[in-house]
Amino acid sequence: MSAKINKTTTGPNIPKDHPRYTAMMIRESIIKGCETKVVAPAGLIAQGRGEAFDYIIGEKTEKFSLAAIEAAACAFLLAEYPVISVNGNIAQIAAKDLVKLSKESGAPLEINLFYRTPGREEAILKVLKEAGAKTVLGVSGNSSVIKELASDRRIVDPNGILKADMVFVPLEDGDRTEALVKIGKKVVTVDLNPLSRTPRKAHVSIIDNITRVLPLLTAKIKSYKKKKKEELKSIYDSYDNKKVLKDSLVFMSERLLKLSTESGV
Ligand code: PTJ
C-alpha cells in the first residue's frame, strides 16, 4: 500500500520493517480517529472486518478491482453531477487522496454520516480542510432528506447527494446503497467484503482497500479524460458487476486453498 495516512501520536512503536507496517499504521490511525471523533466507535469494527478480507486477498489490488476501477472512472466522467460521499473512516485514513479525487473528477465531497453524534461533522470537516479541501458539502445546516431511507444517512445536502446522478459511496451500509439505486442514482462503492449488501446492490463495486483504490481511480480518471464519451460508455456498458463479485470470491477461495496446501494444514 502506498497511501499517506495520519499517524497516531500515542500508539505503539511499530517498526518500519514490520511485514504489515502499512496495515498496522492504518489501524493506529483509525484508533486515533476514534479519539478525535472523526471515526465512530463502530468504525473500529468496520476496520477489523476490512482487515480480515484484505488479509485473505493478500493486501494487493487484483484484476477484479482493476476492472471495477475502470468502470468507476467511466461512471465519474459520464455523470453530469457526481458526488463523493465521505464518512469517518475514509476521512481519517484517506483525506488527501479524497481531495485529489475530488479535484481530478470535479465531484464535490459531501460528509454523510451513519452515526451522527455531536462534534463528528466538525471533526471530519477539519480533517478534510487540513488535507486541502476548499468546499465541503453536508455541513451547511441546509439539509434535505431521502425519504426512502430510515437511517441518519437520509440527511443529505440539497446541492450534493440529493441532486447527484452518480454517488461514490465507499465503506457503506447496504440500506443507503439500495435507497440510492431505487431513486435512480448510479452507485459506485469500495468494499473489501464482497458478501456485504452494499457491493451486491451497487452498480460498480471495487473489492479492494480504499487506501489503494483512490490513487488508482484518480489516475484512471485523469487518463480516461482523453477518451470520447462513446468509448467511455462502451467500457461502462461492457462492465459486469456480478462477474466481478464472483471473480473476487473465486480468487479468495482459491488463495485460501493454495495457502492451506503450502502451509501443510
Ligand atoms: O462515519 P460513519 O458514521 O458514517 O460510519 C462509517 C462506518 C464505516 C462505521 C459505517 O458505514 C458502518 O458501520 O459500515 P459497515 O456496515 O461496518 O461496513 C463497512 C464496510 O467497509 C465493511 O464491509 C468492511 O469490510 C469495509 N471496509 C472496512 N475498511 C475498509 C473497507 N473496505 C475497503 N477499504 C477499507 N480500508
Side-chain angles (χ1 to χ4, degrees), residues 40 42-43 46-47 49-50 53 87-89 93 112-115 120 153 171-173 190-193 196 208-210:
Q47 166 69 18
R49 192 138 46 111
F53 278 95
N87 67 23
N89 283 50
I93 61 176
N112 181 276
L113 302 180
F114 190 78
Y115 299 96
R120 286 199 65 217
R153 284 215 198 275
L171 278 66
E172 177 62 6
D173 49 280
V190 180
D191 195 321
L192 278 157
N193 177 4
S196 166
D208 201 350
N209 196 309
I210 186 75

